[in-house]
Amino acid sequence: MGGSPMDIGRLGIWDSGLRMGDVGRNAEAAAELEELGYGALWLGGSPGVRHAVPLLEATSRIVVATGILSIWDHEPERVAEAQAGLDKTHPGRFLLGLGASHGALVGDRYARPYSAMIGYLDRLDAAGSPAGHRVLAALGPRMLAAARDRSAGAHPYLVTPEHTRRAREILGPGPLLAPEVKAVLDGDPDRARTVARGHLEMYLALPNYTRNLLKLGFGEEDLAGGGSDALVDALFAWGDVETVGRRIAEHLDAGADHVTLQVVTPDQGRLPLREWRELAPLVTA
């Protein structure tokens, strides 16, 4: 159906910490990220629409997106109502990212995720939610096709540039493609890969991700022991700012319109403000 009418630029920030903890701290961080030139803030950790409100109120330009809102936890009619309120108070600045999450996280409610997503989109449409103001967390061909046909585009997570290339082939030239990319700003291979594996551990226990990685050509041996060096190096841009910039360029060259960076650090309890500042020159590189 074509891309989102929102201007999210080519580089955004993905972080679950921006929806948790001290609201004032998060609002100050959002204002600084806007000042640094980033185009969008993606709120991780299964946020609700309400988590976008403080960040939108603290800023004037930057788009705030849910990355992603779980369809199992929020009634679509209430989501549509909350979205309409934000569209009125902050027009063109809230992007609804939707996803079917994972069976291990959802529990017994998890069944037929593709059909559940299509039904959820039907109810959103009926409630007046604009398709051009939402994206889908899509990995496989069917969900990517749904993202193409029923939303502004796709927000794939834990992917490589090769997945971005394949996703663009399915989406075609119009829809938004905004993959998440992980970065570790450390040039020491052992330290960087140790940090990466600590972050990767939970994802390698989720079949939606592991099946996708196997389809991308990795073997079962790559998924064992916290991930092989080859897997870690494909999923994480570790090193200096230039190295991260090269990985962003690989995704853009493969067909991405926007890359959302998740900075991974040894201390996952803090907002990586220093690293966001260090990476800011990539916005205009």
Side-chain angles (χ1 to χ4, degrees):
M1 62 159 288
S4 170
M6 300 178 191
D7 180 11
I8 63 172
R10 73 172 205 148
L11 192 60
I13 291 294
W14 194 106
D15 198 278
S16 58
L18 287 170
R19 73 164 190 86
M20 299 183 291
D22 184 81
V23 174
R25 175 206 66 170
N26 295 343
E28 289 180 4
E32 181 171 354
L33 288 167
E34 178 176 77
E35 186 69 23
L36 289 170
Y38 291 102
L41 304 178
W42 296 77
L43 306 182
S46 299
V49 176
R50 64 183 177 85
H51 292 109
V53 175
L55 307 188
L56 289 167
E57 291 178 344
T59 54
S60 61
R61 171 194 58 81
I62 201 166
V63 170
V64 180
T66 52
I68 49 81
L69 180 146
S70 172
I71 63 172
W72 311 99
D73 295 336
H74 303 271
E75 288 296 317
E77 291 77 15
R78 293 195 175 186
V79 169
E81 181 181 5
Q83 182 184 20
L86 289 186
D87 286 344
K88 184 176 181 179
T89 56
H90 305 282
R93 295 187 53 220
F94 175 69
L95 184 59
L96 177 63
L98 299 169
S101 191
H102 306 270
L105 303 179
V106 175
D108 293 340
R109 295 173 295 158
Y110 192 83
R112 303 179 65 196
Y114 174 79
S115 296
M117 175 61 78
I118 297 303
Y120 198 94
L121 295 175
D122 289 342
R123 290 171 64 184
L124 279 179
D125 288 346
S129 174
H133 288 197
R134 65 184 180 229
V135 293
L136 305 188
L139 293 176
R142 285 207 303 169
M143 199 67 82
L144 283 164
R148 176 193 66 209
D149 298 336
R150 302 291 303 273
S151 79
H155 171 48
Y157 186 92
L158 197 71
V159 293
T160 65
E162 173 59 20
H163 183 275
T164 294
R165 184 189 66 77
R166 298 182 188 184
R168 177 51 72 194
E169 289 180 354
I170 294 170
L171 291 172
L176 175 70
L177 179 53
E180 176 264 357
V181 171
K182 301 181 189 299
V184 179
L185 284 180
D186 191 331
D188 181 271
D190 291 335
R191 284 199 309 264
R193 289 178 177 140
T194 296
V195 171
R197 288 189 174 98
H199 177 85
L200 190 57
E201 181 179 8
M202 66 169 288
Y203 298 110
L204 294 183
L206 298 173
N208 290 359
Y209 290 131
T210 55
R211 282 196 298 266
N212 188 56
L213 293 171
L214 292 171
K215 289 177 182 177
L216 288 170
F218 296 99
E220 293 286 354
E221 67 278 7
D222 290 304
L223 308 181
S228 67
D229 285 355
L231 180 67
V232 168
D233 294 353
L235 293 175
F236 291 78
W238 59 263
D240 58 14
V241 173
E242 290 185 2
T243 302
V244 177
R246 285 194 294 271
R247 181 61 54 84
I248 292 169
E250 289 174 5
H251 280 274
L252 294 172
D253 290 343
D257 303 293
H258 172 92
V259 169
T260 178
L261 279 176
Q262 180 176 186
V263 175
V264 179
T265 68
D267 179 8
Q268 291 296 290
R270 70 174 178 89
L271 292 181
L273 287 167
R274 175 178 59 81
E275 291 85 352
W276 291 340
R277 293 166 186 149
E278 194 172 346
L279 290 163
L282 297 177
V283 172
T284 56

